[in-house]
Amino acid sequence: MTSTYGRGAAITAEGLPTWLEPVARASETIEPHQLSRFLPPDQGGRQSAVLILFGDGPHGPELLLLERAGTLRSHAGQPSFPGGALDPEDGDPAGGGLVRAALREAQEETGVDPASVQIFGVLPQLYIPVSGFVVTPVLGWWREPGPVAPVDQAETARVFAVPVTELTDPENRAMAVHPSGHTGPAFRVGGALVWGFTAGVIDRILHYAGWERPWDRDRRVPLDWRA
């Protein structure tokens, strides 16, 4: 099925590799509360989008992540999906603007060519209370991979791809414990600790796609007080 949300915002699951089809199917039925307990408020919040970009790498299926620069005011130094706030040039959020925002931000942060990405799904909007962002996760298949690297070191410290097998490896999984007392899924992959919003979404994708393997949820990883 193909949906079109205006310029540069066509969404289709046609032609996906077989291994990615479970993610596409899950995206069609998943409900907001199944992804997170942090849901957008009835009013307010800054509209934004992230690109969850899957591709075929040297070690099989992989997911593209970046590490935010340590000097940023919010979420400094954290691994995350490419993405950011909706800009006026992206257009109406209800008319494909959020899909365009995800692709634009990915290009600005990592150098990903939007023309090389097939958007195959959009997940329900979620909320990041600490920054007030209402986030739309956009699912992409990197049909024609190309070189990626930080475009602006003031925003992006590095760009890295994580094999899905590393994300599903029980030895790489734990629960991160924030100084506030909040706990959530975490992944030790790519020389980084992925936690917070990004890890929570990855955790739910693995679960609903049927990729999750049993792991020790009693394993704890304390976060630095600056996190």
Side-chain angles (χ1 to χ4, degrees):
M1 178 180 294
T2 301
S3 300
T4 302
Y5 292 86
R7 173 181 55 83
I11 300 175
T12 179
E14 296 177 3
L16 290 180
T18 302
W19 62 264
L20 198 47
E21 291 175 356
V23 180
R25 288 194 297 269
S27 71
E28 295 174 355
T29 59
I30 197 164
E31 298 290 336
H33 68 272
Q34 294 176 307
L35 285 173
S36 174
R37 65 187 181 91
F38 297 111
L39 303 182
D42 293 334
Q43 294 182 340
R46 189 175 183 187
Q47 292 288 336
S48 63
V50 296
L51 181 63
I52 303 176
L53 184 59
F54 292 94
D56 271 320
H59 302 290
E62 62 184 19
L63 180 64
L64 188 72
L65 297 174
L66 61 83
E67 185 175 309
R68 294 168 58 83
T71 54
L72 292 175
R73 286 183 297 175
S74 62
H75 309 292
Q78 286 189 34
S80 70
F81 303 117
L86 183 78
D87 279 356
E89 68 193 74
D90 301 318
D92 184 359
L98 291 165
V99 172
R100 289 188 288 271
L103 290 168
R104 175 185 54 76
E105 285 282 348
Q107 183 177 34
E108 292 177 358
E109 293 177 333
T110 72
V112 165
D113 180 1
S116 70
V117 178
Q118 174 182 332
I119 301 301
F120 67 89
V122 176
L123 297 179
Q125 289 189 328
L126 304 175
Y127 188 56
I128 303 181
V130 67
S131 58
F133 281 105
V134 175
V135 185
T136 297
V138 177
L139 299 170
W141 158 236
W142 205 3
R143 296 187 64 90
E144 301 175 11
V148 289
V151 175
D152 183 351
Q153 291 282 353
E155 291 189 4
T156 307
R158 68 181 177 118
V159 181
F160 60 106
V162 178
V164 171
T165 53
E166 291 189 15
L167 293 168
T168 59
D169 186 342
E171 292 303 311
N172 295 335
R173 305 208 55 182
M175 294 293 287
V177 183
H178 193 274
S180 67
H182 173 72
T183 62
F187 300 82
R188 289 190 180 276
V189 291
L193 179 67
V194 183
W195 60 281
F197 173 86
T198 303
V201 173
I202 294 173
D203 172 78
R204 294 296 82 196
I205 289 175
L206 297 181
H207 176 77
Y208 287 106
W211 294 349
E212 185 178 38
R213 297 166 58 189
W215 57 283
D216 184 5
R217 294 177 181 272
D218 291 328
R219 183 184 297 141
R220 295 290 190 266
V221 176
L223 296 173
D224 186 271
W225 67 270
R226 293 184 298 270

